[in-house]
Amino acid sequence: MGSLLEPGMLVRHPDQADWGLGQVQSVVGARVTVNFEHAGKVVIDSKRIFLVPVFGH
Protein backbone atom coordinates (compact mmCIF):
# COMPACT_ATOMS: atom_id res chain seq x y z
CA MET A 1 0.00 0.00 0.00
CA GLY A 2 2.88 2.37 0.69
CA SER A 3 3.65 2.70 -3.00
CA LEU A 4 0.11 3.96 -3.62
CA LEU A 5 0.43 6.69 -1.02
CA GLU A 6 2.06 10.00 -1.73
CA PRO A 7 2.68 13.21 0.24
CA GLY A 8 -0.42 15.32 0.71
CA MET A 9 -2.88 12.42 0.64
CA LEU A 10 -5.40 12.12 3.47
CA VAL A 11 -5.61 8.80 5.30
CA ARG A 12 -7.02 7.10 8.36
CA HIS A 13 -5.39 4.40 10.49
CA PRO A 14 -7.62 1.30 10.41
CA ASP A 15 -7.10 0.46 14.11
CA GLN A 16 -6.78 3.96 15.60
CA ALA A 17 -9.95 5.89 14.70
CA ASP A 18 -9.33 8.28 17.62
CA TRP A 19 -6.17 9.55 15.86
CA GLY A 20 -8.45 11.32 13.38
CA LEU A 21 -7.62 12.27 9.83
CA GLY A 22 -3.97 12.10 8.80
CA GLN A 23 -1.98 13.71 6.02
CA VAL A 24 0.90 11.79 4.47
CA GLN A 25 4.12 13.76 4.94
CA SER A 26 6.60 11.42 3.25
CA VAL A 27 6.97 7.92 1.83
CA VAL A 28 10.39 6.23 1.90
CA GLY A 29 10.15 2.59 0.93
CA ALA A 30 7.65 0.99 3.30
CA ARG A 31 7.97 3.83 5.85
CA VAL A 32 5.13 6.31 5.66
CA THR A 33 5.20 9.40 7.89
CA VAL A 34 1.71 10.70 8.63
CA ASN A 35 0.64 13.76 10.61
CA PHE A 36 -2.60 12.81 12.41
CA GLU A 37 -5.03 15.35 13.89
CA HIS A 38 -4.95 13.88 17.41
CA ALA A 39 -1.73 11.83 17.46
CA GLY A 40 0.78 14.06 15.70
CA LYS A 41 3.48 12.66 13.42
CA VAL A 42 3.63 8.87 13.31
CA VAL A 43 5.87 6.64 11.18
CA ILE A 44 3.90 3.69 9.82
CA ASP A 45 5.31 0.45 8.38
CA SER A 46 3.05 0.02 5.35
CA LYS A 47 3.98 -3.67 5.15
CA ARG A 48 2.16 -4.20 8.47
CA ILE A 49 -0.46 -1.44 8.58
CA PHE A 50 -2.68 -0.68 5.60
CA LEU A 51 -3.68 2.98 5.83
CA VAL A 52 -7.10 3.82 4.43
CA PRO A 53 -7.11 6.65 1.86
CA VAL A 54 -9.78 9.33 2.36
CA PHE A 55 -11.20 10.91 -0.75
CA GLY A 56 -13.54 13.91 -1.04
CA HIS A 57 -13.01 15.09 2.53
Side-chain angles (χ1 to χ4, degrees):
M1 182 64 172
S3 62
L4 299 177
L5 298 174
E6 57 186 46
M9 288 183 70
L10 299 177
V11 296
R12 291 195 184 276
H13 190 294
D15 302 322
Q16 302 290 341
D18 59 324
W19 286 7
L21 194 61
Q23 184 178 43
V24 175
Q25 302 295 299
S26 66
V27 180
V28 179
R31 294 169 54 98
V32 181
T33 302
V34 182
N35 190 17
F36 288 98
E37 291 175 307
H38 305 295
K41 284 194 178 179
V42 179
V43 178
I44 305 287
D45 179 354
S46 65
K47 291 180 182 175
R48 295 179 35 160
I49 304 293
F50 298 99
L51 295 168
V52 179
V54 175
F55 299 102
H57 177 76

